[in-house]
Each structure stands twice: as C-alpha cells, then as structure tokens.
Amino acid sequence: MGLVCDVVGRVLVLLLLIGMPAFAQAEDADKPAIVGVIQKQLDAFQGDRAAEAFGYASPDIQQLFGTPDKFMAMVRQGYPPVYRPRSVDFRELVTNEGRIVQKVLFVGPDGVPVIAEYFMERQPDGSWRIDGCRLDRSGDQSA
C-alpha cells in the first residue's frame, strides 16, 4: 500500500508541475484583456462616467453597491489614487490563493505611490471584470 501511495503522490506532483507552466501561459495570454478592462475603468473614472465605470465591476460588486452613483462615491472617497492618479504603471499578473490578480503602481494625487491589487473574475462569456481592489499604501514600488 505504501508503494502505491508513493507512486500516486509522485504522479500527482508531476502532473501539477506539468500543468503550472500552462496555467502561467494562460495568465500571460489574458494580461492584455485584463489590463484593458482596468484601463477602461480608469478612463471612465477620469471622465466621471459612473455607469461606464460600474459596468467593468463584477456582478457581485455591482450587487454590493447597487447603483453606479454609490459605486463612484465609494471610489472617490476610498480610492483617491485610483480615482485621480498622477501616474499608472501596470505590473505583473499573479495568482494569489487561486485568484487572478493584476498589480498596478499608482501615484496618487498627493504624490504618494501605492500598489493596487486588482482581483479579476472571468465571466461566463469569457470577458473579464474587476472583482475588487486592495491598496497597499506602504509605497513599495518593487511589486
């Protein structure tokens, strides 16, 4: 029994290692679409187009806020670097706890750099939506 478990365990590890590069390639292939969605939302924020910006949020985020105006008010109040950035630099696309995360370096209106982690969600039609954003105000620009 021990030999069977050992062989099965090694096969599972091998399959995991073989599958990892394919998963990383899928992420890389998705990066232009993911960056495009985030950039379109940022453009909508710049133009104060609440309904358009809200449209790039996942269904769960839309349900949470209910209306484009409530969503935009939350962004204005809680995410000034995202709402009115001085600069935006898209960084790496990573997987964190099974979720696709796009890292973005923002310099906010106050001149302070922050790293944003955009949690992305693939929709049934294959498109991407933003399922949350977390800011790291540590100013670490190496992310």
Side-chain angles (χ1 to χ4, degrees):
M1 182 72 175
L3 180 59
V4 171
C5 288
D6 187 47
V7 170
V8 169
R10 288 176 191 232
V11 168
L12 289 175
V13 169
L14 181 61
L15 288 174
L16 179 65
L17 292 174
I18 290 171
M20 286 177 72
F23 185 68
Q25 290 170 355
E27 285 183 24
D28 291 342
D30 290 325
K31 185 167 180 154
I34 288 170
V35 167
V37 167
I38 297 168
Q39 185 62 60
K40 287 175 188 174
Q41 188 179 63
L42 294 174
D43 293 344
F45 290 150
Q46 289 295 306
D48 286 316
R49 298 185 305 273
E52 182 182 340
F54 192 59
Y56 295 111
S58 72
D60 287 342
I61 297 295
Q62 290 178 355
Q63 184 176 4
L64 179 67
F65 289 96
T67 70
D69 291 335
K70 287 180 184 177
F71 175 72
M72 190 67 111
M74 177 276 302
V75 173
R76 270 195 301 269
Q77 184 176 23
Y79 292 81
V82 174
Y83 179 64
R84 290 291 189 262
R86 285 189 187 177
S87 67
V88 179
D89 183 23
F90 288 89
R91 299 296 177 95
E92 66 271 1
L93 185 65
V94 299
T95 302
N96 186 353
E97 296 179 13
R99 298 184 73 188
I100 303 294
V101 179
Q102 175 63 56
K103 293 191 177 193
V104 182
L105 173 65
F106 286 97
V107 175
D110 57 2
V112 176
V114 297
I115 294 291
E117 292 182 319
Y118 277 86
F119 301 97
M120 303 303 297
E121 182 180 274
R122 189 185 299 272
Q123 301 305 297
D125 67 0
S127 66
W128 289 96
R129 296 270 189 98
I130 300 165
D131 194 42
C133 179
R134 178 175 56 207
L135 298 181
D136 178 2
R137 299 181 190 274
S138 71
D140 179 11
Q141 296 184 28
S142 64

